[in-house]
Amino acid sequence: MTSRFVRAAAAGAALAVAATAFAACSSEPETTPDDVITIFAPQDAGQEQNLDTNAFTKLLEEKFDVDLQFETTTWDGAAAGEKRQISLASGDYPDAYMLIPWVDQFSSDELVKLGGQGVILPLDDLIGEDTPNLVAAFEKEPGFKELATSPDGKIWGIPAWNDCYHCSYPSKLWMNSAWLDALGLEQPTTPEELRTVLEAFKTQDPNGNGAADEIPLSAAGGSSLLSYLMNPFVYTPEMYSNAEGTTPASLGTSGDQVVLQPTRDEWRDGIAYAASLYADGLIDEAAFTQNGEAIIAKGNSAEGVIVGSAAMMHPWFVSDDNEDGRYTQYNAVPPLTGPNGSDATYTGGGAGAAPGATFVITNRSSEAKQQKLMQILDFMVSYEGHLLGEFGVEGVNWVRPEAGDVALDETLEPNFKVLALPEGEGLNNSWGPIAQFFSDAEFRNAQVTATDVDTPEGYERRLFEATKLYEGHESDELFPYWDVAVTGETATELATIQTNVENFVVQAAAEFVSGVRDIESDEDWAEFQQHLTDLGAERYVQIYQEAWDASK
């Protein structure tokens, strides 16, 4: 696939499934009557979602004269993936699976395996006159159909196509402009200028309370921190958000050659820069370990504003109900320019466009059920079905545009406006991202959004405008792993190597920055390189090189 809006986990790397796991599935499973369809799906119980009583479930049941029954899991990726695997291996699996890509979904390699075993059914012959909305979506975005097509050429399931502009450039830096103004400083444009600003944040009391309580630079789990700091030195995707090793985040390219970026001297230079900031107390000591709740507590500290800047996709660490107006103080800082230029991490579509599938039909489903399921899917792909499925009830959760409403992308005609509801109301009116199958750029960016970016209602516009600062800074060294298919025994081999290598890079990078390992020590650097070799780094690069060559 060649569309730039495809972001993906590499085929075969996520939740690789051994053929023996499905021994129990070899016999024909029992099924329910044709008017009862069973579905495995994640359920956001924390937000009071109940798929059995959900308003959209009731709408589908009435519209398609069917009884939908759910086997549910959580939105926790590890737990959801494990429960899905247990469900499949038990042999007592449902008629269909409807998943969320950023929680858990079927990888391309899983689809081929399960399809070959007869556990899931090919959808090719079910896509046609009876699925006009899906066909139209495939025609409108050819990359969507490419995304749905497995390496064996068949369509075993349907993925989510979510063209999220601000998600495509996840490694942003949000800096407190009020602090800059108070100290007479400008936004930094280079790594050394950033150091100067952070030093001023640390030593010159920008919040004016007379206490040395300022945190110059923070992050949650380091997901964007190293990427933003290191791209001026060497192209660095968001490796620290890759703790499960599900993407080849440490790979880059040099011309036509795949390169493991942490083997390069430029990578060492980038880590050395980050380590020097940490050693000087300019990076929050908890930046690599704290969760979202911890940084939210800092961002909304009752003692006043204490966070000078934070590296993350968007500034969710500060809420809009602080009386001091700190919600409006954080603005995105464009990519810094260093020896490697001013690259920005580009993931091409954010969390919702990955090879594989969020929707599959199993061999438990009769022909009548298969047709019903495809009709339900096709409805969710339609404009009306998408609004009702993802957002909820018209007039309660969303409304049609009115005169004077402005779309997020002001060149587009506005299409709908999401309503802010009192806490606890309307939470069980939609399936949310379970129903998000075709959110192309036109759909997403035509949503009505307030023009005042400093209001909660203008938040999407705030993200949209901030992301423009990063667009155009995609690196020539980017490795387009979403275009690369690795299947069969090689995929199984790759899954183990990739997990080991990527997890080690994540761990070692944090240790170098925090001083557990000494990035200036040739001995520590040599030991790091040797351990990469011992984990199979050369074979890792070789597998992807061969697959990339074959994809061209």
Side-chain angles (χ1 to χ4, degrees):
M1 65 204 65
T2 56
S3 172
R4 75 184 190 93
F5 292 109
V6 179
R7 187 197 69 85
L15 292 174
V17 181
T20 55
F22 300 101
C25 305
S26 58
S27 59
E28 195 70 22
E30 295 183 3
T31 187
T32 52
D34 284 347
D35 62 348
V36 178
I37 293 179
T38 55
I39 299 172
F40 179 101
Q43 178 173 276
D44 190 8
Q47 292 294 319
E48 301 180 21
Q49 186 182 50
N50 184 327
L51 293 175
D52 289 318
T53 62
N54 191 274
F56 187 62
T57 300
K58 298 303 180 184
L59 182 151
L60 292 176
E61 289 179 328
E62 181 176 352
K63 182 177 181 65
F64 295 102
D65 190 24
V66 67
D67 178 14
L68 300 179
Q69 298 181 1
F70 292 91
E71 176 186 351
T72 61
T73 186
T74 72
W75 279 26
D76 176 81
E82 181 179 3
K83 188 168 183 178
R84 173 170 67 84
Q85 299 289 18
I86 292 173
S87 169
L88 283 165
S90 71
D92 185 23
Y93 44 81
D95 296 308
Y97 288 80
M98 293 187 182
L99 309 175
I100 299 173
W102 44 264
V103 174
D104 171 54
Q105 73 167 36
F106 292 93
S107 70
S108 297
D109 194 49
E110 282 183 291
L111 294 177
V112 173
K113 288 180 180 179
L114 293 170
Q117 294 159 3
V119 176
I120 62 173
L121 304 176
L123 306 183
D124 304 76
D125 293 340
L126 296 172
I127 299 172
E129 293 182 0
D130 294 334
T131 58
N133 296 300
L134 182 59
V135 170
F138 280 169
E139 291 177 350
K140 184 177 182 181
E141 282 284 4
F144 183 27
K145 185 173 183 179
E146 293 175 19
L147 194 70
T149 304
S150 293
D152 63 358
K154 295 183 179 180
I155 297 178
W156 294 107
I158 304 299
W161 183 264
N162 183 15
D163 191 353
C164 174
Y165 177 58
H166 76 261
C167 305
S168 302
Y169 301 85
S171 302
K172 301 181 180 73
L173 180 67
W174 298 87
M175 182 169 285
N176 193 309
S177 294
W179 284 17
L180 291 174
D181 292 342
L183 300 177
L185 298 171
E186 300 291 335
Q187 281 191 342
T189 63
T190 68
E192 288 311 307
E193 287 181 7
L194 175 61
R195 183 192 302 278
T196 299
V197 168
L198 297 180
E199 288 173 344
F201 283 177
K202 178 179 173 63
T203 62
Q204 297 182 28
D205 192 29
N207 63 12
N209 66 358
D213 58 353
E214 288 86 355
I215 301 171
L217 173 58
S218 192
S223 59
S224 293
L225 179 60
L226 284 185
S227 179
Y228 185 84
L229 294 178
M230 291 181 64
N231 264 303
F233 299 89
V234 65
Y235 175 65
T236 308
E238 279 209 356
M239 61 180 178
Y240 208 85
S241 62
N242 190 37
E244 300 301 319
T246 55
T247 64
S250 63
L251 296 181
T253 63
S254 177
D256 293 330
Q257 298 300 307
V258 178
V259 179
L260 186 63
Q261 299 292 73
T263 64
R264 300 177 59 184
D265 289 340
E266 294 88 346
W267 192 90
R268 186 180 184 183
D269 293 339
I271 288 287
Y273 168 71
S276 70
L277 298 181
Y278 189 93
D280 290 342
L282 305 180
I283 295 177
D284 188 349
E285 290 185 356
F288 294 100
T289 57
Q290 68 187 349
N291 59 18
E293 291 182 359
I295 194 171
I296 286 173
K298 293 174 180 177
N300 298 289
S301 172
E303 303 302 318
V305 183
I306 61 173
V307 178
S309 59
M312 53 185 57
M313 185 186 294
H314 51 88
W316 48 262
F317 67 101
V318 177
S319 63
D320 58 41
D321 56 0
N322 291 287
E323 294 182 359
D324 55 18
R326 71 184 74 175
Y327 174 78
T328 67
Q329 293 176 0
Y330 293 88
N331 293 302
V333 180
L336 302 177
T337 302
N340 195 50
S342 57
D343 288 344
T345 292
Y346 172 73
T347 59
T358 58
F359 170 89
V360 301
I361 298 176
T362 74
N363 64 346
R364 179 172 181 166
S365 182
S366 65
E367 290 187 10
K369 290 186 180 186
Q370 294 170 38
Q371 293 173 354
K372 288 277 189 182
L373 282 163
M374 292 303 293
Q375 290 169 3
I376 290 172
L377 171 72
D378 194 65
F379 178 62
M380 289 189 286
V381 172
S382 73
Y383 180 78
E384 177 189 5
H386 187 171
L387 285 173
L388 296 170
E390 183 180 355
F391 297 100
V393 177
E394 183 176 4
V396 177
N397 301 95
W398 61 275
V399 294
R400 307 284 177 178
E402 301 174 351
D405 283 339
V406 180
L408 178 60
D409 182 342
E410 297 185 16
T411 66
L412 300 174
E413 287 293 321
N415 56 9
F416 69 98
K417 176 165 57 178
V418 175
L419 299 178
L421 299 176
E423 186 175 353
E425 293 188 17
L427 297 177
N428 200 35
N429 284 351
S430 77
W431 283 8
I434 301 172
Q436 188 182 47
F437 283 96
F438 188 60
S439 288
D440 65 342
E442 181 179 0
F443 181 92
R444 285 191 62 108
N445 297 340
Q447 176 179 338
V448 173
T449 308
T451 55
D452 186 350
V453 298
D454 288 334
T455 63
E457 294 77 18
Y459 191 68
E460 279 291 330
R461 189 175 305 280
R462 182 182 181 187
L463 302 183
F464 189 84
E465 293 182 359
T467 304
K468 292 178 181 178
L469 302 174
Y470 299 81
E471 185 177 12
H473 292 272
E474 304 82 12
S475 175
D476 292 337
E477 297 176 3
L478 181 150
F479 175 54
Y481 54 83
W482 46 80
D483 282 340
V484 175
V486 181
T487 59
E489 294 181 0
T490 304
T492 302
E493 177 190 10
L494 174 64
T496 299
I497 298 175
Q498 178 164 300
T499 298
N500 291 340
V501 169
E502 295 294 342
N503 284 350
F504 175 63
V505 170
V506 167
Q507 173 189 338
E511 290 174 346
F512 274 128
V513 172
S514 62
V516 175
R517 296 171 184 261
D518 184 0
I519 192 63
E520 302 294 344
S521 166
D522 290 341
E523 182 179 351
D524 282 9
W525 179 250
E527 188 276 333
F528 171 60
Q529 297 302 320
Q530 183 59 51
H531 197 62
L532 286 172
T533 300
D534 295 342
L535 291 173
E538 293 181 1
R539 176 60 176 154
Y540 185 36
V541 171
Q542 180 186 20
I543 290 174
Y544 272 114
Q545 183 71 63
E546 292 174 352
W548 192 33
D549 291 342
S551 71
K552 297 176 182 178

